[in-house]
Amino acid sequence: MRTPKKMRVSLCVAAVGASLLLAACGSDDSGDSGDGDSKDAASTNIGIVIKGLDNPFFQHMEDGINAEQEESGAEVEIQAAASITDTNGQADKLTNLANQDFDCYLVNPISGTNLIQGIAQIAAKDIPIVNIDNPVEADAAEAADAEVATYIGTDNVAAGAMVADQLAKLDSDGGDVATVGGIAGDVTSAQRIDGFKEGLSDSFEVVQEVAANWDRQEAQTQAETILQANPDLAAFFVANDDMAMGVARAVAAADKKGKTLVVSVDGIDGVASGDIDAAVAQYPFVVGKMGLQACEAAALGEDLPEKVDTPIALITPDNAKEAQDAFPEPPNDYDNPFADLLGR
């Protein structure tokens, strides 16, 4: 493993809680690194803008970026938004980086359009752009005469559908369901909810949909209101784990634990603790790691696949401990085309 040439990080964060600092013992199947055919990613210089590190998901994404940087020796600069809703601040950070000299840019936009100005500046210089986690809106990119080299992230529709399938196994009787999404209009949240609704069996009916802005307390308040209006609610589907924990609090406070199920995307720890009944886990560490690998490969002139789905895993009480032990990697092997491009 090479010693990193230089690491410049704009924002330090406090240590994540012990439940999130689980050792990574999963692995991908990208093969042995450090052989004679490995391409010189250490010569690349990458500018990175990600979402706010106030959310553990993006802390793990940064960890994945840092892990790859330590392995490759690439020079990177990471700029993080002040929060997961700081659209203007994040846009300013990318605009500032766009005025600097990088070989590739890695972007994790808060919305589909908030980074378009900076992306347009980068595209005008014909520098590759790698998009992770939240997709840049295609129409906005086209209007800016910009094209991303690849998109890397969770297949959110598939994740939502997987949760719906598990809900049918947990509750064969069916009933009314409410969904709790993130920010209204957010593509990621909408895709998860759409996948969930498409995957629901005919025995379930979605009776209410709300947005809780990815906030635990707001999700709890929304769930309390929903339960008052729908005391026989069969289940909540929640678009992320932090909000799901807020919903679980509302369910417990209403003495409906075990009667009103809580299922979500993400939530390994919540399933292990018994607060969440099932979840589909995604792996932001892998998203960040693959994202930097893709930028390194693009900077070296490699052609990238248009889209790469990162791994997801169904988490139940039966496998939650195994998933915890493997985190931040998935418990099973997965394909990594970017490691292949780098000759690893």
Side-chain angles (χ1 to χ4, degrees), residues 243-332:
M243 293 190 300
M245 293 302 290
V247 171
R249 286 180 187 169
V251 169
D255 196 26
K256 294 186 180 297
K257 186 172 175 59
K259 301 173 186 176
T260 299
L261 301 178
V262 180
V263 295
S264 73
V265 174
D266 293 326
I268 296 173
D269 291 343
V271 176
S273 67
D275 294 300
I276 300 173
D277 295 286
V280 168
Q282 53 182 342
Y283 292 90
F285 181 92
V286 176
V287 175
K289 175 180 168 183
M290 282 190 180
L292 183 52
Q293 289 173 338
C295 243
E296 290 166 350
L300 293 169
E302 298 289 342
D303 292 328
L304 307 184
E306 182 178 347
K307 180 177 181 288
V308 173
D309 293 331
T310 49
I312 57 176
L314 176 65
I315 309 301
T316 70
D318 292 335
N319 68 356
K321 179 62 168 62
E322 178 188 4
Q324 280 185 319
D325 289 344
F327 196 80
E329 295 270 13
N332 301 312

Side-chain angles (χ1 to χ4, degrees), residues 19-37:
S19 65
L20 291 173
L21 292 177
L22 299 166
C25 55
S27 64
D28 66 25
D29 56 3
S30 56
D32 187 28
S33 62
D35 60 34
D37 295 328

Side-chain angles (χ1 to χ4, degrees), residues 5 8 28 31 58-60 64 67 76 78 92 105 107 117 122 126 146 151 163 230 233 263 275 341:
K5 186 163 52 175
R8 296 174 291 173
D28 66 25
F58 303 106
Q59 294 172 21
H60 290 304
V76 307
I78 304 174
D92 289 342
Y105 288 82
V107 297
Q117 181 178 346
I122 296 164
D126 200 28
Y151 170 74
V163 176
N230 301 274
L233 194 74
V263 295
D275 294 300
L341 289 173

